[in-house]
C-alpha cells in the first residue's frame, strides 16, 4: 500500500492545456492506445458544448474538434487497435472519427432506431461490437448493438443495428462498459438503479443476462475490477458506491463486497472534505480498486477500496480551481490526466518536478449549458421510490 501511496503522492503537474477561445467543462477523457510505429499519442475530451476536442498528449494543445451538430455528443472512447475515436449522440447515432484527420465528417456512422437518443456507449476490446444506451422514450430504454468491423465489400459509411435489448432497463441507460479482456461481456447501468451484466454471445436477451445488481439509486458510473476483471462496481448520482464480486454468482457467498449509500458521510479524509465522486480506477499491477473524488475547489482525493471500507490514500492539490469532472489513468507510464469546470486539462506524472501555474478561475457558463452538464438527476428515481 505504501508503494501506491508514494506513487500517487508523487504526482506533479507537468503540463496544462492551452487557452481556448470557447471555454467549456471537460466531462470525459480517453487516450489513444499505443499503436506500434506511431509516436503521437492523442487525448480525446468530451466538452460541455457537446463537442469532442483532440489534444496532443505531451503538449496538451488542441489539434482539432469534432461536433455532433445538431445533436450533442455523449461519452468518448478510442478504438483499441487504431486512432478512431467514437461518441454516442442525441441525434440517434454513434459517430466515429479518425483522430488524425481534420475532417468535420465522421468516417463511420452507426444509426439507431427511430426516436433513439443515445446518452452512453462503449466499444468492445476487439473493436468488433458497439453498444449504446438510450434515454427512455415512452416505455422503452434500449441497449442497441452494431457490428463495428469495416467490410471491404461494403464501403458504406452508415451502418444499421444488429439488434437491441429492451426488457432489462426501465429508465435512461446512463452507462455501458465492455469487459477489458472478454469481448462478449458487457455491463450496463441506469437511472432505474439496476446494473446488468450480459454475455452477448448468447442468442436472446433473457438468456444473455448473467446477473442483475441493484444499486438502489441512479447509476452515474460503472466499471470492471479485480483479478481477471471478475468484479464490477458502480457509483450513483447521489455519491453512493457499490462493489460486487461475480466470482460468487454460483456459490452461497454474498456477491456484495461493499455498499455505501453516501461516500461523503463515511470516508475519513486526512484533511478536507469530499464533495463528489468522479469515477473508479482499477490498478492492474497492484490488483487494487481506487475511487477518485474531489472538492468544489478542485482538490482531487484518491481512496482505496477494501472489504471493510474506503481508505484515503492521498490528495492532489494546486491543479484545478473548480469541480473536477473527468480523469484518465495511464497504466504504462503511471500518468494522470484530469479535466474540470475550470476548462483546464492537466497532465500529472510521478516524480516529475512540479511546474508552478496560476490556477484558473471557475467558469461561468450559460444556464442552458450547465443544465445539461449533469444530464441525469436522480429525481425521477426518488419519485418512484416514494410511490
Amino acid at each position: 500500500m505504501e508503494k501506491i501511496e508514494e506513487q500517487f503522492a508523487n504526482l506533479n503537474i507537468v503540463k496544462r492545456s492551452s487557452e481556448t477561445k470557447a471555454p467549456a467543462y471537460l466531462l470525459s477523457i480517453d487516450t489513444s492506445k499505443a499503436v506500434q510505429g506511431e509516436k503521437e499519442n492523442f487525448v480525446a475530451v468530451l466538452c460541455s458544448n457537446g463537442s469532442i476536442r483532440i489534444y496532443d498528449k505531451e503538449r496538451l494543445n488542441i489539434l482539432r474538434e469534432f461536433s455532433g451538430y445538431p445533436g450533442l455528443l455523449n461519452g468518448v472512447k478510442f478504438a483499441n487497435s487504431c486512432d478512431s475515436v467514437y461518441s454516442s449522440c442525441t441525434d440517434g447515432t454513434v459517430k466515429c472519427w479518425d483522430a488524425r484527420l481534420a475532417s468535420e465528417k465522421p468516417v463511420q456512422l452507426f444509426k439507431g432506431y427511430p426516436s433513439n437518443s443515445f446518452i452512453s456507449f462503449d466499444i468492445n476490446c476487439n473493436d468488433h461490437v458497439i453498444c449504446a444506451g438510450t434515454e427512455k422514450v415512452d416505455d422503452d430504454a434500449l441497449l442497441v448493438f452494431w457490428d463495428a468491423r469495416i467490410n471491404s465489400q461494403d464501403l458504406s459509411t452508415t451502418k444499421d443495428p444488429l439488434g437491441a435489448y429492451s426488457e432489462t432497463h426501465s429508465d435512461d441507460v446512463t452507462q455501458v462498459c465492455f469487459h477489458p479482456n472478454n469481448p462478449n461481456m458487457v455491463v450496463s447501468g441506469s437511472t432505474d438503479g439496476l446494473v446488468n451484466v450480459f454475455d452477448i454471445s448468447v442468442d436472446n436477451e433473457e438468456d444473455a443476462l448473467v446477473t442483475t445488481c441493484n444499486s438502489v439509486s441512479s447509476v452515474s458510473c460503472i466499471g470492471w475490477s479485480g483479478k481477471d476483471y471478475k468484479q464490477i462496481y458502480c457509483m450513483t448520482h447521489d455519491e453512493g458506491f457499490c462493489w460486487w464480486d461475480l466470482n460468487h454468482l454460483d456459490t452461497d457467498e454474498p456477491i456484495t463486497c461493499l455498499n455505501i449509500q453516501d461516500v461523503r458521510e463515511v470516508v475519513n479524509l486526512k484533511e478536507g472534505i469530499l464533495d463528489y465522486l468522479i469515477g473508479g480506477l482499477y490498478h492492474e499491477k497492484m490488483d487494487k480498486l481506487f475511487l477518485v473524488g474531489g472538492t468544489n475547489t478542485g482538490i482531487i482525493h484518491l481512496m482505496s477500496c477494501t472489504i471493510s471500507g474506503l481508505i484515503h490514500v492521498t490528495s492532489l492539490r494546486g491543479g484545478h480551481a473548480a469541480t473536477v469532472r473527468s480523469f484518465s489513468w495511464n497504466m504504462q507510464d503511471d500518468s494522470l490526466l484530469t479535466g474540470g469546470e475550470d476548462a483546464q486539462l492537466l497532465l500529472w506524472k510521478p516524480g516529475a518536478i512540479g511546474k508552478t501555474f496560476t490556477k484558473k478561475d471557475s467558469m461561468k457558463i450559460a444556464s442552458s449549458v450547465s443544465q445539461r452538464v449533469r444530464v441525469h438527476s436522480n429525481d425521477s428515481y426518488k419519485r418512484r421510490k416514494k410511490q
Side-chain angles (χ1 to χ4, degrees), residues 151-175:
N151 185 339
S152 56
Q153 271 79 47
D154 177 18
L155 297 175
S156 164
T157 56
T158 304
K159 284 201 171 185
D160 291 323
L162 292 170
Y165 292 166
S166 60
E167 304 297 324
T168 32
H169 284 298
S170 59
D171 212 336
D172 299 354
V173 182
T174 52
Q175 290 282 297

Side-chain angles (χ1 to χ4, degrees), residues 102-117:
S103 169
E104 290 177 15
K105 287 188 175 178
V107 293
Q108 196 92 38
L109 199 64
F110 300 88
K111 287 182 76 173
Y113 299 105
S115 82
N116 281 171
S117 176

Side-chain angles (χ1 to χ4, degrees), residues 366-377:
S367 58
S368 61
V369 174
S370 55
Q371 278 168 10
R372 66 175 186 247
V373 164
R374 199 148 201 168
V375 181
H376 305 284
S377 73

